[in-house]
């Protein structure tokens, strides 16, 4: 029941209880009051018949006084009962609001595990449910913030430790001051710089504080450009990089630069986690009112239990491998997911397990 209907019924209930109390009080007080006044009138009738007119007026006044006395007591009883009922009803309405106020004050101090009693389906109950949902989301955001700080600290510490160790070894003479040593230090500095750039990009897409320049995009041409940009990295590992799909597709409304960023990220990941001599294939297909673009590789694969976590920031399937090669910040797929979702599309990963390769699919609507 809606809160407005409850308030209306509460007012009617107070009126009904007041009238009932008034009627009951009159039933108990009216006879006694009338008897007292009629008794005084009976004593006055012994004064003679010549005063009949005056006695009629006295009778009328005595009846009026009796009724007024009965109404007075009844009104006091009705006010007392209706006041008690009003206090009870107002408490039932105000108490949830007071609980919400106290809970919001505790959440403001950082106690995000605070919840309220959200019983009922009226506006107050819905407000309680919304408040609890907000508290859950705030608690999750706080947990993610703490995890992000810990992850960022860990990721920054790795290249900084390597740079510091190399410099100390140079100072102590444990490493030769040659081009190879300086190249190692420069590589760690570049890794640190890429991580900072990725973090800035992640903050923009998660805000979201970026603008999509939507325009018709030629998907086959975009895939050809992606292959051209990724070919040098593929040739270094002797990986075969190809595309498959229709040469003509309807223009896709999207931000070409952002979509190209997503495709290049997926292809770069596929090349990174595919051994030398493997293959990476970009496939396109039109299904109903959407276009699916997939990046398939013959790489290390993904365990089925990790498929749901693959788009989590700083998550890696093969942590030791990425640490050793120094590649990837672990947030590229998170950025890709945010950009795809900003286009109204979906992205997911498929794999049959370790050593069986993986397939990343992007589904974008045509309209």
């Amino acid at each position: 029941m809606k809160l407005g209907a409850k308030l209306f019924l509460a007012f009617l209930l107070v009126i009904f209880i007041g009238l009932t109390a008034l009627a009951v009080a009159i039933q108990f007080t009216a006879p006694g009051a009338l008897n007292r006044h009629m008794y005084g009138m009976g004593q006055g009738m012994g004064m003679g018949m010549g005063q009949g007119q005056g006695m009629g007026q006295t009778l009328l006044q005595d009846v009026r006084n009796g009724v007024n006395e009965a109404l007075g007591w009844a009104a006091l009883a009705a006010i007392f009962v209706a006041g008690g009922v009003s206090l009870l009803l107002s408490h039932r309405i105000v108490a949830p609001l007071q609980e919400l106020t106290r809970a919001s004050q505790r959440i403001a101090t950082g106690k995000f595990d605070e919840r309220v009693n959200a019983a009922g389906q009226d506006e107050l109950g819905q407000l309680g449910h919304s408040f609890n949902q907000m508290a859950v989301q705030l608690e999750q955001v706080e947990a993610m913030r703490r995890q992000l700080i810990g992850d960022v600290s860990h990721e920054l510490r790795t290249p900084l430790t390597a740079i510091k160790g190399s410099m100390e070894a140079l100072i102590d003479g444990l490493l030769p001051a040659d081009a190879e040593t300086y190249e190692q230090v420069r590589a760690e500095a570049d890794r640190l710089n890429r991580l900072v750039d990725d973090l800035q990009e992640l903050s923009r897409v998660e805000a979201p504080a970026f603008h999509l320049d939507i325009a018709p995009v030629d998907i086959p041409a975009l895939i050809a450009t992606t292959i051209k940009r990724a070919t040098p990295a593929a040739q270094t590992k002797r990986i075969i990089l190809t595309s498959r799909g229709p040469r003509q597709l309807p223009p896709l409304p999207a931000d070409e630069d952002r979509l190209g960023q997503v495709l290049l990220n997926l292809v770069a990941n596929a090349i990174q986690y595919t051994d030398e001599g493997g293959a990476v294939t970009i496939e396109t297909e039109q299904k109903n009112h959407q276009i699916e673009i997939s990046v398939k590789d013959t790489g290390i694969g993904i365990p089925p239990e990790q498929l749901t976590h693959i788009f989590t920031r700083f998550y890696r399937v093969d942590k030791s491998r990425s640490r050793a090669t120094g590649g990837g910040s672990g947030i590229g797929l998170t950025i890709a997911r945010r950009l795809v979702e900003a286009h109204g599309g979906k992205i997911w990963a498929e794999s049959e397990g370790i050593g069986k390769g993986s397939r990343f699919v992007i589904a974008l609507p045509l309209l």
Side-chain angles (χ1 to χ4, degrees), residues 18-267:
L19 291 177
T20 302
L22 182 64
V24 172
I26 288 178
Q27 293 295 324
F28 283 99
T29 59
L34 289 176
N35 286 334
R36 287 194 298 272
H37 288 283
M38 292 299 293
Y39 176 75
M41 182 192 68
Q43 289 181 336
M45 290 183 64
M47 299 176 61
M49 297 301 295
Q51 300 179 349
Q53 184 176 1
M55 291 181 62
Q57 294 178 351
T58 301
L59 175 61
L60 180 61
Q61 184 63 38
D62 288 338
V63 172
R64 182 182 294 114
N65 291 338
V67 172
N68 289 338
E69 181 180 347
L71 287 175
W73 287 107
L76 289 176
I79 291 173
F80 179 79
V81 174
V85 174
S86 299
L87 287 176
L88 178 62
L89 294 176
S90 62
H91 175 72
R92 292 177 61 88
I93 295 174
V94 173
L97 297 177
Q98 293 175 337
E99 183 182 4
L100 282 171
T101 301
R102 291 190 295 267
S104 63
Q105 291 173 348
R106 288 190 288 268
I107 285 182
T109 61
K111 298 179 180 178
F112 298 107
D113 58 344
E114 190 69 31
R115 301 293 184 271
V116 298
N117 183 17
Q121 298 298 323
D122 58 4
E123 286 82 354
L124 290 177
Q126 294 174 3
L127 179 61
H129 285 292
S130 299
F131 181 90
N132 288 338
Q133 292 177 357
M134 179 196 69
V136 169
Q137 293 177 355
L138 287 175
E139 189 175 15
Q140 292 175 350
V141 168
E142 177 64 15
M144 292 174 62
R145 183 188 68 83
R146 294 178 179 176
Q147 181 182 357
L148 178 60
I149 292 175
D151 291 339
V152 169
S153 300
H154 180 72
E155 294 293 330
L156 292 175
R157 187 180 297 111
T158 302
L160 287 174
T161 301
I163 293 173
K164 181 180 178 182
S166 298
M167 297 307 297
E168 289 176 349
L170 281 171
I171 294 173
D172 296 337
L174 300 177
L175 282 178
D178 55 15
E180 182 180 357
T181 300
Y182 293 134
E183 179 61 26
Q184 292 177 356
V185 175
R186 187 193 65 81
E188 291 297 333
D190 287 343
R191 179 183 175 186
L192 186 61
N193 186 67
R194 289 195 302 270
L195 176 60
V196 172
D197 290 341
D198 287 344
L199 288 173
Q200 289 179 338
E201 180 70 12
L202 179 64
S203 66
R204 284 193 294 267
V205 300
E206 285 194 337
F210 66 96
H211 173 71
L212 293 179
D213 186 11
I214 303 297
V217 177
D218 186 347
I219 295 300
L222 181 61
I223 292 176
T225 301
T226 302
I227 291 178
K228 183 178 180 180
R229 296 174 63 184
T231 294
Q235 290 177 344
T236 301
K237 298 181 66 174
R238 296 185 292 109
I239 292 176
I240 301 174
L241 179 58
T242 58
S243 64
R244 184 185 305 167
R247 295 184 177 181
Q248 297 292 332
L249 286 171
L252 180 70
D255 186 319
E256 186 171 359
D257 292 337
R258 292 294 188 176
L259 187 55
Q261 177 184 351
V262 172
L263 286 176
L264 186 60
N265 180 280
L266 295 179
V267 173

Side-chain angles (χ1 to χ4, degrees), residues 147-148 150-152 154-155 195 198-199 202 206 265 269 272-273 300-323 327-335 337 349 351 354 360:
Q147 181 182 357
L148 178 60
D151 291 339
V152 169
H154 180 72
E155 294 293 330
L195 176 60
D198 287 344
L199 288 173
L202 179 64
E206 285 194 337
N265 180 280
N269 276 349
Q272 178 182 347
Y273 292 104
I300 63 174
I302 305 172
E305 66 273 10
Q306 297 186 21
L307 288 174
T308 57
H309 305 289
I310 198 67
F311 294 98
T312 303
R313 60 170 71 94
F314 297 110
Y315 188 86
R316 292 186 178 95
V317 175
D318 189 353
K319 298 178 175 59
S320 61
R321 180 187 179 110
S322 60
R323 296 288 185 205
S329 61
I331 58 178
L333 290 178
T334 305
I335 296 174
R337 181 183 63 179
S351 179
I354 293 295
F360 287 83

